[in-house]
Amino acid sequence: MIDLSAQQPAPVLAYTPQVAAATAAVYDRVRDVIPAIEWPVHAPYIEAIERLKKERNAIVLAHNYQTPEIFHGVADLTGDSLALARMAAETDADVIVLCGVHFMAETAKLLNPAKTVLIPDLKAGCSLASSITGADVRLLKERYPGVPVVTYVNTSADVKAETDVCCTSANAVEVVESLGVDRVIFLPDEYLGRYVARHTDVELILWHGHCEVHERFTGDQLRQFRRRYDDLQILAHPECPPDVLEEADFVGSTSGMIRAVGERRPRRVVMVTECSMSDNVAVEHPEVEFIRPCNLCPHMKRITLPKILDSLRHLRYEVEVAPEIAAPARRAVERMLEVGRGSQAG
Ligand code: 13P
Ligand code: SF4
């Protein structure tokens, strides 16, 4: 459970009996992860956002790392980066509000150039996306002529534009192998790259980008959990360092980890990833005990209910991609969607 009260502006909307009634069903679902004392702060925003979505013919897409009041309160569709890209490609809403980080909103815009794509806070970045630029990729291509470039979606459109095909953590091995070559430049996540390299014979040329959330987990931390808790299932995201993945019972994308909880039905589980995931999944699995080392993504946490409401009211902040970058970047994302079409990898 995360205390965001320090980051939120004071509530300006009233918790009226009508708001309480309109949001009662949502609160019933999340009561184990959101204390009752917090609900009067969230509920008026949830009610107002729901009304405005209808007026605007808008859809809210939320990544699995969004806080429970967003994930369970106002999101129409939720998922990992791959699922969000697919949903963005398929929606017929006029406005897409992307509750996640900037590269996700940019991907949605690439796939829906005619639609209004909004992100509630333009500063919601990503340490992986900021680890590399389009100019860096051009230099690598000069150094390794003819070697295809596979880029994690956690990158700017500028980097995607220099890319042959994108991937996410859910389909990285499949995408690399789809190229049918011996050697690939794989950017920018070194740890995801090392994980992929263990599952393919293709040689990967790596970059040293890291996720600031996942790189903080350690193998020692997980060994301590194993000693302290019996019957513990460790589910880890492939952005974690190799010694962490060594300790894991399952490695997969955020949605892959969620599915694993449903399929394995562990007595105890630790999700080695961003903090809010456990809260969101615990809502669906009250019978599972979640051990919660809490590493927050400061970028994901920039998105709040008041900012989502503002975003819908003022149609801000609109995400745009320059046409000369958008065309090649879109091709790289579309190629990824082609590779994975119909598969439920991760
Ligand atoms: P996935 O949800 O695609 O697994 O990615 C995790 C992540 O860190 C996104 O920022
Ligand atoms: Fe980027 Fe890591 Fe935050 Fe995901 S969790 S948005 S990879 S910094």
Side-chain angles (χ1 to χ4, degrees), residues 167-305:
C167 73
T168 73
S169 56
N171 62 13
V173 176
E174 200 184 354
V175 166
V176 163
E177 297 201 329
S178 75
L179 292 168
V181 294
D182 297 335
R183 207 149 76 124
V184 158
I185 300 172
F186 186 92
L187 307 171
D189 187 352
E190 178 190 0
Y191 296 145
L192 175 64
R194 289 217 228 162
Y195 173 75
V196 172
R198 288 223 316 270
H199 291 83
T200 179
D201 292 332
V202 179
E203 182 197 339
L204 301 188
I205 296 159
L206 299 179
W207 186 254
H208 291 294
H210 297 145
C211 161
E212 68 188 84
V213 176
H214 293 92
E215 72 176 350
R216 279 184 283 149
F217 292 106
T218 66
D220 264 355
Q221 190 182 12
L222 299 185
R223 283 187 287 278
Q224 275 179 29
F225 284 139
R226 281 247 197 254
R227 283 195 292 275
R228 201 174 317 151
Y229 304 101
D230 53 356
D231 250 0
L232 179 68
Q233 284 274 312
I234 298 179
L235 315 181
H237 194 277
E239 289 170 10
C240 294
D243 67 326
V244 169
L245 300 186
E246 286 281 304
E247 292 299 323
D249 299 299
F250 173 88
V251 177
S253 75
T254 53
S255 292
M257 292 164 79
I258 295 172
R259 274 197 302 279
V261 174
E263 285 162 14
R264 293 170 177 229
R265 308 211 150 261
R267 179 158 78 92
R268 286 196 173 119
V269 71
V270 55
M271 303 191 102
V272 191
T273 191
E274 209 269 351
C275 221
S276 292
M277 269 266 293
S278 296
D279 286 344
N280 291 334
V281 187
V283 168
E284 312 290 346
H285 296 285
E287 75 289 359
V288 177
E289 182 188 344
F290 287 81
I291 312 300
R292 305 175 194 218
C294 195
N295 287 1
L296 274 177
C297 174
H299 312 290
M300 289 278 178
K301 264 55 229 187
R302 282 184 172 278
I303 310 300
T304 61
L305 289 173

